[in-house]
Amino acid sequence: MTNQHLVWLITGTSSGLGRELVVAALKRGDKVIATARARSLNRLDDLKVKGADILELDVTDTLGNLREVARKAVELHGRVDVLINNAGQR
């Protein structure tokens, strides 16, 4: 993968470590798919402006819905190179 930007999928990006990882990856020039639960999606607006793709994801959802979000994520850039499951339970 020399000279190729990575595609990151990061869960739990509405605050804290997840948000910081999104910002750091974008600064590297990588592609980022940032996720959050429906109630927190509005907190990702600034990340979208910075270049992140945004998907709604609740990691406690059904397997079928999780697979659909995974399909959408891969569809965005054709692959996911780095997966960080940072979502908490609140």
Side-chain angles (χ1 to χ4, degrees), residues 9-12 35-38 41 55-61 65-66 69-70 87:
L9 172 61
I10 306 173
T11 69
T35 73
R37 292 180 178 183
L41 278 177
L55 290 178
E56 179 182 335
L57 173 64
D58 182 341
V59 297
T60 65
D61 209 342
N65 287 341
L66 294 173
V69 173

Side-chain angles (χ1 to χ4, degrees), residues 1-12:
M1 267 190 229
T2 307
N3 296 328
Q4 185 177 22
H5 297 293
L6 296 174
V7 178
W8 299 65
L9 172 61
I10 306 173
T11 69

Side-chain angles (χ1 to χ4, degrees), residues 21-36:
L21 288 168
V22 171
V23 171
L26 289 171
K27 283 182 181 177
R28 285 175 29 108
D30 291 341
K31 303 289 185 184
V32 178
I33 304 162
T35 73

Side-chain angles (χ1 to χ4, degrees), residues 65-80:
N65 287 341
L66 294 173
R67 285 182 174 152
E68 179 61 18
V69 173
R71 184 195 63 74
K72 288 178 183 177
V74 171
E75 191 174 87
L76 285 169
H77 299 287
R79 67 185 201 277
V80 171

Side-chain angles (χ1 to χ4, degrees), residues 40-54:
S40 302
L41 278 177
N42 64 333
R43 295 184 195 165
L44 277 54
D45 290 344
D46 64 314
L47 298 178
K48 186 172 184 168
V49 169
K50 292 177 181 178
D53 293 293
I54 308 299

